[in-house]
Amino acid sequence: MKLETKYFKTDLLAGLVVFLVALPLCLGIALASGAPLFSGIITGVIGGIVVGFLSGSNLSVTGPAAGLTAIVLAGITSVGSYELFLLAVVIAGGIQLLLGIIKAGTISNYFPSNVIEGMLTGIGIIIILKQIPHAVGYDKDSEGDFAFIENNTGHNTLTAITDAINSIHYGAIIITIVCIGILIAFNKVSFLKRIKLIPGGLVAVIAGVLINELFIASGSILAVQKEHLVNLPIPGSFNEFIGQFSLPDFKGLSNSSVWILGATIAVVASIETLLCLEAADKMDPLKRYSNGNTELRAQGIGNILAGLIGGLPMTSVIVRTSANINSGGRTKLATIAHGLFLLLAVVAIPTVLNKIPLAALAAILIMIGLKLASPKVFKHMWHNGKFQFIPFIITVLAVVFTDLLKGVGIGLVVSILFILRGNMKLAYFFRKDRHREGEQIKIKLAQEVSFLNKAAIKQTLVHLPHNSRVLIDASETVYIDHDVLELIKDFVEFTSTEKNIKVDLVGFKGAYKIENTVSHVNDADEQLEKEVL
């Protein structure tokens, strides 16, 4: 049975949940970016249907990205009009398409797993912190603004929570608690877990709407008002609907500012997409691998189309992708379905959608955040050792207290430093003060010995005492750098003679052009025992 057939129902239902999560995020990111609200919907639809179809990933979900809000906000101002900004989006798409063609997507293979884990965990914490205000009915900051310093208020994530606690709306809290209870029940209660026809996220949203409608009908002060509900623009006529689309101003092709903005969007969007792609593969229950080059080409085509009809730039987005995986999505159908649901909803039922309390959607996002930032992840990384845990925890903190790209950049730098430090260490380093005369000194080379190991090996050989005996074991090596081989040759031919050091060599392959003096490690040990006796 093909995956597309096997997971057809669960993918459709997952697409429905992703749609519910994506709708306020599309609107919130557009608002935070200083763009027309409908531009976020355009990008969500194209990201779901077009990019979803062309994508190299089975699980990644594309849409307007929180990481681009600051660039979009500043970009519209710098180029002077929204139409010129759209031209920059088209250019960005063209650059991404070119990057995919020249196979620049392979860079994603070099992202360390501890940084990817840190990014996912950091995003999970951000989601929780950012949704707390919406959960209690305080909606000053736009949905989709994931930066620590908030665009709309100038406050930060932590002060926004303090403000929210001082402005609690009890009706919103009731809705949040009920919705979280429903989501937990669908995850924990056996008979509810077996219900596959309707996802817990949809039940939670319906419950949130019904509770609020009951509050409104009864005239209760607990009723959640318009400012705490989804706010999808509703056109009064077909002409008003068409008027929500915009065309790029191609006269700006000679404007260098437009090209610079386009290149900036392309680079940032591509990096964020590749990061999310790696994260999606890491979360994939079926452990599949995605093609980064195919993804860049798909994103490029998506951004070209979005720019041509008035949409925001897009990337693969972790929040939507996580919602997809957690809701049971397993193939591209879930992503495409979420785009179709967005399209149908904005055309057919915008009034119904505008009854959804943001508190109900906050409940779904908080549960997603808790899964991403599970204590099990911290425990797992801790047991992996300090060389994994320290870059991981620094990435988490950097993502939370800056933004996604800056946080990952900081995490990468720290991870690279730890990799360099680890590579510069040898499996054995001689301590002269612990050596006893007559003992054989064993130096076992690592599986791969690069130029980064040269300094450590050199220091080891330099500190070997006079009149000693050393065994250099290369039996487990797959690769030894040319410079290291030359260093060992010079030591055998010159330095060891000057210091009267007896050198045994074992395990060196013919390609290394170094002659072994013994055939096996035990041979050197037996010979040493005979000499001692």
Side-chain angles (χ1 to χ4, degrees):
M1 182 186 291
K2 290 184 178 180
L3 284 177
E4 288 77 4
T5 306
K6 181 179 180 181
Y7 294 108
F8 182 80
K9 289 182 180 179
T10 55
D11 281 341
L12 281 181
L13 295 173
L16 185 58
V17 175
V18 178
F19 149 69
L20 292 170
V21 170
L23 178 63
L25 292 178
C26 288
L27 297 171
I29 290 169
L31 181 62
S33 301
L37 288 180
F38 196 68
S39 63
I41 300 296
I42 292 171
T43 299
V45 171
I46 294 174
I49 300 173
V50 178
V51 178
F53 179 76
L54 299 174
S55 173
S57 172
N58 289 285
L59 299 173
S60 174
V61 182
T62 294
L68 292 174
T69 52
I71 295 173
V72 174
L73 188 63
I76 295 172
T77 303
S78 66
V79 297
S81 72
Y82 188 66
E83 289 71 25
L84 286 174
F85 167 77
L86 293 178
L87 179 60
V89 176
V90 174
I91 291 170
I95 294 172
Q96 284 187 294
L97 185 58
L98 178 61
L99 289 173
I101 292 171
I102 65 174
K103 301 187 184 303
T106 52
I107 191 177
S108 63
N109 296 324
Y110 298 97
F111 295 140
S113 60
N114 50 13
V115 173
I116 298 298
E117 288 279 12
M119 176 186 72
L120 286 171
T121 305
I123 288 292
I125 294 171
I126 289 172
I127 291 172
I128 295 167
L129 295 177
K130 288 288 186 180
Q131 292 306 313
I132 289 174
H134 297 295
V136 300
Y138 183 80
D139 303 297
K140 297 294 183 182
D141 190 34
S142 304
E143 286 276 14
D145 181 5
F146 290 157
F148 184 68
I149 304 298
E150 297 179 348
N151 291 325
N152 288 351
T153 64
H155 293 183
N156 62 49
T157 303
L158 300 180
T159 57
I161 294 174
T162 303
D163 294 339
I165 292 172
N166 294 327
S167 307
I168 286 176
H169 189 291
Y170 291 100
I173 290 179
I174 291 171
I175 291 171
T176 300
I177 292 172
V178 170
C179 291
I180 287 178
I182 290 171
L183 293 168
I184 292 173
F186 269 80
N187 283 327
K188 300 293 184 182
V189 180
S190 298
F191 86 91
L192 290 176
K193 287 171 70 175
R194 290 194 294 269
I195 297 176
K196 303 296 183 182
L197 293 177
I198 184 167
L202 179 59
V203 175
V205 169
I206 293 172
V209 172
L210 292 176
I211 290 170
N212 194 48
E213 289 299 306
L214 180 62
F215 288 156
I216 293 172
S218 64
S220 171
I221 60 171
L222 296 174
V224 175
Q225 301 304 317
K226 183 179 179 181
E227 63 269 22
H228 303 308
L229 304 174
V230 169
N231 187 23
L232 185 66
I234 303 176
S237 64
F238 178 75
N239 287 335
E240 282 187 24
F241 177 77
I242 296 299
Q244 295 179 102
F245 295 89
S246 303
L247 300 175
D249 183 0
F250 286 100
K251 293 177 183 177
L253 283 172
S254 59
N255 187 333
S256 61
S257 297
V258 173
W259 283 91
I260 292 171
L261 177 59
T264 302
I265 292 171
V267 170
V268 175
S270 297
I271 293 172
E272 188 163 333
T273 289
L274 292 175
L275 284 167
C276 293
L277 198 66
E278 283 295 299
D281 286 351
K282 200 163 190 64
M283 293 186 290
D284 185 0
L286 303 180
K287 302 304 177 187
R288 294 162 291 185
Y289 294 99
S290 305
N291 188 312
N293 299 311
T294 303
E295 187 67 24
L296 285 181
R297 293 194 292 270
Q299 295 284 333
I301 292 170
N303 273 319
I304 290 171
L305 292 175
L308 288 174
I309 61 174
L312 292 172
M314 65 186 69
T315 75
S316 175
V317 185
I318 291 177
V319 179
R320 296 174 180 81
T321 302
S322 301
N324 182 25
I325 296 169
N326 291 333
S327 302
R330 295 295 179 266
T331 74
K332 290 183 177 185
L333 178 61
T335 302
I336 296 170
H338 120 273
L340 290 170
F341 285 133
L342 268 176
L343 177 62
L344 292 172
V346 298
V347 172
I349 54 169
T351 304
V352 175
L353 296 178
N354 284 348
K355 293 181 180 294
I356 299 175
L358 294 178
L361 300 175
I364 296 175
L365 288 166
I366 286 171
M367 295 302 293
I368 292 170
L370 287 171
K371 288 187 176 181
L372 288 174
S374 167
K376 292 180 181 178
V377 178
F378 290 89
K379 185 177 180 180
H380 168 70
M381 296 305 295
W382 175 261
H383 288 307
N384 283 348
K386 65 180 180 181
F387 288 97
Q388 290 292 311
F389 183 76
I390 293 176
F392 160 77
I393 200 67
I394 289 176
T395 303
V396 171
L397 294 172
V399 167
V400 171
F401 290 105
T402 57
D403 57 40
L404 175 64
L405 290 181
K406 289 178 184 175
V408 168
I410 293 169
L412 282 173
V413 170
V414 173
S415 185
I416 289 169
L417 290 174
F418 272 77
I419 290 169
L420 291 174
R421 188 168 182 266
N423 281 337
M424 290 179 71
K425 287 187 171 184
L426 198 58
Y428 170 87
F429 187 86
F430 173 65
R431 289 287 300 274
K432 188 174 180 179
D433 59 329
R434 295 183 182 177
H435 176 65
R436 295 180 180 178
E437 190 173 348
E439 285 183 344
Q440 184 187 50
I441 301 162
K442 295 180 181 179
I443 299 175
K444 190 170 184 178
L445 300 179
Q447 190 174 31
E448 291 193 13
V449 184
S450 72
F451 71 95
L452 296 170
N453 302 110
K454 182 180 177 181
I457 295 173
K458 186 176 182 180
Q459 287 299 309
T460 301
L461 297 177
V462 166
H463 287 86
L464 291 174
H466 288 71
N467 308 314
S468 59
R469 182 163 187 165
V470 61
L471 170 69
I472 303 178
D473 182 2
S475 56
E476 294 186 8
T477 62
V478 177
Y479 164 79
I480 303 179
D481 182 76
H482 174 76
D483 289 350
V484 176
L485 288 172
E486 289 298 312
L487 180 67
I488 294 172
K489 287 178 184 177
D490 290 343
F491 172 74
V492 172
E493 293 178 17
F494 303 105
T495 310
S496 65
T497 303
E498 292 174 5
K499 298 177 71 172
N500 194 30
I501 297 173
K502 170 65 176 173
V503 182
D504 290 316
L505 302 174
V506 63
F508 284 86
K509 298 177 175 62
Y512 297 153
K513 297 181 180 179
I514 293 181
E515 187 176 350
N516 294 310
T517 59
V518 292
S519 60
H520 195 272
V521 174
N522 291 339
D523 294 341
D525 291 338
E526 289 173 7
Q527 180 62 30
L528 179 63
E529 286 179 13
K530 289 178 182 178
E531 292 178 8
V532 172
L533 293 171

